[in-house]
Amino acid sequence: MKKSLYTPVWLLALASILTFSSCESNDGVIFSTQDDLKLGAQVSAQVDSTYRAKGQLLERNSTNANTQKAYASLDRIVNRVLNSGQVKYKEEFPWTIKIINDPNTLNAFATPGGYIYVYTGLIKFLNDEDHFAGVLAHEIAHADKRHSVKQLQRQYGISILLSVALGNNAGTLQEIAGQLAGTLAGLKFSRDAETEADNTSVVYLGGTNYYACDGAAGFFVKMTQQEQAGNPPEFLSTHPNPDNRIENIEQQAEQKGCKTTTAPDTDFAELKRSLNL
């Protein structure tokens, strides 16, 4: 039987997308940034719904005066990082940060498209605004470097993500969003992705000309102390090897010659006061 020389349309589409994804401008992923936004919005909506049902989501549009003050302080910290001039998708992504009121969870995470979540347990744990800014810069880097989407490529494979990238399977997008919403806080990135997020946090903080660019190192130092005390935080289960990372971040800061003197803790202290932490 003679084989057909006809090339299926879906294969041509796949080839075109894979060719495009090899371009540096698309960060080596199948998803476009618009797909990041579409996926991130759905994931964020499901994360919000989950924690709202538990009474743990602090709503950004709350009429509570303390909640409003908390978000005002938090936004000032985040905006210094976003306005560092180093965030690639600063204009493309919404960069919305929300607080989950769970004082027993020491964690933060990012969705595709720039939705960031931080637990009150992390805010309570830290005392230094530079360290907290380092954590936020690290999570912003995960979104800005599109690590979540790269992880999805490995987890779900090309065929499923292709249908999402082409926008012809809303059900698949909804399914992935639902699954990801339930696992984001525990999503484990590759060693390379974590190192890139650490290194990028130095670049972001250095660009602020305000925070110590090695702020994330101070955060990991305190994490290590907590672990040595016999109470390892949840964050270390998804962000391992703090000792090596402390050394790497400090080396990056030294090589770049960026500011390492600490900034005032004014906004972070106000954030903690507003949350009664």
Short mmCIF file of all heavy atoms in Angstrom, two decimals, residues 141-166:
data_model
loop_
_atom_site.label_atom_id
_atom_site.label_comp_id
_atom_site.label_asym_id
_atom_site.label_seq_id
_atom_site.Cartn_x
_atom_site.Cartn_y
_atom_site.Cartn_z
N ALA A 141 10.52 35.84 40.01
CA ALA A 141 11.42 35.26 39.00
C ALA A 141 10.85 33.97 38.44
O ALA A 141 10.96 33.70 37.24
CB ALA A 141 12.80 35.02 39.61
N HIS A 142 10.23 33.13 39.30
CA HIS A 142 9.63 31.88 38.80
C HIS A 142 8.59 32.18 37.73
O HIS A 142 8.50 31.47 36.72
CB HIS A 142 8.98 31.11 39.95
CG HIS A 142 9.92 30.23 40.72
ND1 HIS A 142 10.86 29.44 40.12
CD2 HIS A 142 10.03 30.00 42.06
CE1 HIS A 142 11.53 28.76 41.04
NE2 HIS A 142 11.06 29.09 42.22
N ALA A 143 7.79 33.23 37.95
CA ALA A 143 6.76 33.58 36.96
C ALA A 143 7.38 34.26 35.75
O ALA A 143 7.03 33.95 34.60
CB ALA A 143 5.72 34.49 37.60
N ASP A 144 8.31 35.18 35.98
CA ASP A 144 8.91 35.96 34.90
C ASP A 144 9.77 35.09 33.98
O ASP A 144 9.84 35.32 32.78
CB ASP A 144 9.75 37.09 35.50
CG ASP A 144 10.08 38.18 34.50
OD1 ASP A 144 9.20 38.55 33.70
OD2 ASP A 144 11.22 38.69 34.54
N LYS A 145 10.43 34.07 34.56
CA LYS A 145 11.23 33.13 33.78
C LYS A 145 10.39 31.96 33.26
O LYS A 145 10.91 31.07 32.61
CB LYS A 145 12.39 32.59 34.63
CG LYS A 145 13.37 33.66 35.09
CD LYS A 145 14.04 34.35 33.93
CE LYS A 145 15.06 35.38 34.39
NZ LYS A 145 15.72 36.05 33.25
N ARG A 146 9.09 31.97 33.59
CA ARG A 146 8.10 31.02 33.09
C ARG A 146 8.42 29.58 33.49
O ARG A 146 8.19 28.63 32.76
CB ARG A 146 8.00 31.17 31.57
CG ARG A 146 7.71 32.61 31.15
CD ARG A 146 7.58 32.78 29.67
NE ARG A 146 6.35 32.18 29.18
CZ ARG A 146 6.12 31.93 27.89
NH1 ARG A 146 7.03 32.23 27.00
NH2 ARG A 146 4.98 31.40 27.52
N HIS A 147 8.93 29.42 34.71
CA HIS A 147 9.28 28.10 35.21
C HIS A 147 8.07 27.20 35.39
O HIS A 147 8.15 25.99 35.17
CB HIS A 147 10.03 28.23 36.54
CG HIS A 147 11.38 28.85 36.42
ND1 HIS A 147 12.03 29.47 37.47
CD2 HIS A 147 12.22 28.97 35.35
CE1 HIS A 147 13.20 29.93 37.06
NE2 HIS A 147 13.33 29.64 35.79
N SER A 148 6.93 27.79 35.79
CA SER A 148 5.73 26.97 35.99
C SER A 148 5.29 26.32 34.69
O SER A 148 4.90 25.15 34.65
CB SER A 148 4.58 27.81 36.56
OG SER A 148 4.92 28.33 37.82
N VAL A 149 5.36 27.10 33.60
CA VAL A 149 4.95 26.59 32.30
C VAL A 149 5.93 25.51 31.82
O VAL A 149 5.54 24.49 31.26
CB VAL A 149 4.85 27.73 31.27
CG1 VAL A 149 4.47 27.19 29.90
CG2 VAL A 149 3.81 28.74 31.73
N LYS A 150 7.22 25.73 32.05
CA LYS A 150 8.21 24.73 31.68
C LYS A 150 7.97 23.42 32.44
O LYS A 150 8.13 22.32 31.89
CB LYS A 150 9.62 25.26 31.95
CG LYS A 150 10.01 26.40 31.03
CD LYS A 150 11.40 26.96 31.38
CE LYS A 150 11.74 28.15 30.51
NZ LYS A 150 13.04 28.74 30.84
N GLN A 151 7.60 23.56 33.72
CA GLN A 151 7.30 22.38 34.52
C GLN A 151 6.08 21.65 33.96
O GLN A 151 6.02 20.43 33.93
CB GLN A 151 7.06 22.78 35.97
CG GLN A 151 6.91 21.61 36.95
CD GLN A 151 8.22 20.87 37.16
OE1 GLN A 151 9.29 21.40 36.89
NE2 GLN A 151 8.12 19.63 37.60
N LEU A 152 5.09 22.41 33.51
CA LEU A 152 3.90 21.81 32.90
C LEU A 152 4.24 21.05 31.64
O LEU A 152 3.67 19.99 31.36
CB LEU A 152 2.87 22.90 32.59
CG LEU A 152 2.05 23.44 33.76
CD1 LEU A 152 1.18 24.59 33.30
CD2 LEU A 152 1.20 22.35 34.38
N GLN A 153 5.16 21.58 30.84
CA GLN A 153 5.59 20.87 29.64
C GLN A 153 6.10 19.48 29.99
O GLN A 153 5.77 18.50 29.34
CB GLN A 153 6.70 21.65 28.92
CG GLN A 153 6.21 22.80 28.08
CD GLN A 153 7.33 23.42 27.26
OE1 GLN A 153 7.13 24.43 26.63
NE2 GLN A 153 8.51 22.84 27.27
N ARG A 154 6.91 19.43 31.04
CA ARG A 154 7.47 18.13 31.44
C ARG A 154 6.39 17.22 32.02
O ARG A 154 6.44 16.00 31.84
CB ARG A 154 8.59 18.35 32.47
CG ARG A 154 9.84 18.97 31.89
CD ARG A 154 10.98 18.97 32.90
NE ARG A 154 10.76 19.96 33.95
CZ ARG A 154 11.18 21.21 33.90
NH1 ARG A 154 11.83 21.65 32.84
NH2 ARG A 154 10.96 22.04 34.90
N GLN A 155 5.43 17.83 32.73
CA GLN A 155 4.43 17.02 33.43
C GLN A 155 3.33 16.51 32.52
O GLN A 155 2.90 15.37 32.63
CB GLN A 155 3.82 17.86 34.56
CG GLN A 155 2.81 17.09 35.43
CD GLN A 155 2.40 17.90 36.65
OE1 GLN A 155 3.06 18.85 37.03
NE2 GLN A 155 1.29 17.52 37.25
N TYR A 156 2.88 17.35 31.58
CA TYR A 156 1.71 17.00 30.77
C TYR A 156 2.05 16.59 29.34
O TYR A 156 1.23 15.98 28.66
CB TYR A 156 0.72 18.17 30.74
CG TYR A 156 0.03 18.39 32.06
CD1 TYR A 156 0.52 19.30 32.98
CD2 TYR A 156 -1.10 17.66 32.41
CE1 TYR A 156 -0.09 19.50 34.21
CE2 TYR A 156 -1.73 17.86 33.63
CZ TYR A 156 -1.22 18.78 34.51
OH TYR A 156 -1.83 18.97 35.74
N GLY A 157 3.21 16.93 28.86
CA GLY A 157 3.60 16.55 27.52
C GLY A 157 3.11 17.52 26.45
O GLY A 157 2.24 18.36 26.68
N ILE A 158 3.69 17.37 25.27
CA ILE A 158 3.45 18.32 24.19
C ILE A 158 2.02 18.25 23.68
O ILE A 158 1.40 19.27 23.41
CB ILE A 158 4.45 18.06 23.04
CG1 ILE A 158 5.85 18.46 23.48
CG2 ILE A 158 4.06 18.83 21.78
CD1 ILE A 158 6.93 18.11 22.47
N SER A 159 1.46 17.04 23.53
CA SER A 159 0.15 16.91 22.87
C SER A 159 -0.94 17.65 23.62
O SER A 159 -1.78 18.33 23.02
CB SER A 159 -0.22 15.43 22.73
OG SER A 159 -0.32 14.81 23.99
N ILE A 160 -0.95 17.55 24.95
CA ILE A 160 -1.98 18.24 25.74
C ILE A 160 -1.75 19.74 25.72
O ILE A 160 -2.69 20.53 25.51
CB ILE A 160 -1.99 17.72 27.19
CG1 ILE A 160 -2.49 16.27 27.22
CG2 ILE A 160 -2.87 18.60 28.08
CD1 ILE A 160 -2.49 15.65 28.59
N LEU A 161 -0.50 20.16 25.91
CA LEU A 161 -0.24 21.59 25.93
C LEU A 161 -0.45 22.23 24.56
O LEU A 161 -0.78 23.40 24.47
CB LEU A 161 1.20 21.85 26.42
CG LEU A 161 1.46 21.52 27.88
CD1 LEU A 161 2.85 21.94 28.28
CD2 LEU A 161 0.44 22.19 28.79
N LEU A 162 -0.28 21.44 23.49
CA LEU A 162 -0.52 21.97 22.16
C LEU A 162 -1.97 22.41 22.01
O LEU A 162 -2.27 23.47 21.48
CB LEU A 162 -0.18 20.94 21.10
CG LEU A 162 -0.49 21.32 19.64
CD1 LEU A 162 0.29 22.57 19.25
CD2 LEU A 162 -0.17 20.17 18.71
N SER A 163 -2.90 21.58 22.51
CA SER A 163 -4.32 21.93 22.39
C SER A 163 -4.64 23.19 23.16
O SER A 163 -5.48 23.99 22.76
CB SER A 163 -5.19 20.77 22.89
OG SER A 163 -5.01 20.57 24.27
N VAL A 164 -3.94 23.39 24.28
CA VAL A 164 -4.14 24.61 25.06
C VAL A 164 -3.52 25.80 24.33
O VAL A 164 -4.12 26.88 24.23
CB VAL A 164 -3.54 24.47 26.47
CG1 VAL A 164 -3.71 25.76 27.25
CG2 VAL A 164 -4.19 23.32 27.21
N ALA A 165 -2.30 25.61 23.81
CA ALA A 165 -1.61 26.70 23.13
C ALA A 165 -2.37 27.18 21.91
O ALA A 165 -2.36 28.37 21.59
CB ALA A 165 -0.21 26.24 22.72
N LEU A 166 -3.06 26.25 21.23
CA LEU A 166 -3.84 26.63 20.06
C LEU A 166 -5.20 27.21 20.43
O LEU A 166 -5.92 27.72 19.58
CB LEU A 166 -4.05 25.42 19.14
CG LEU A 166 -2.78 24.88 18.46
CD1 LEU A 166 -3.11 23.64 17.65
CD2 LEU A 166 -2.16 25.94 17.58
#
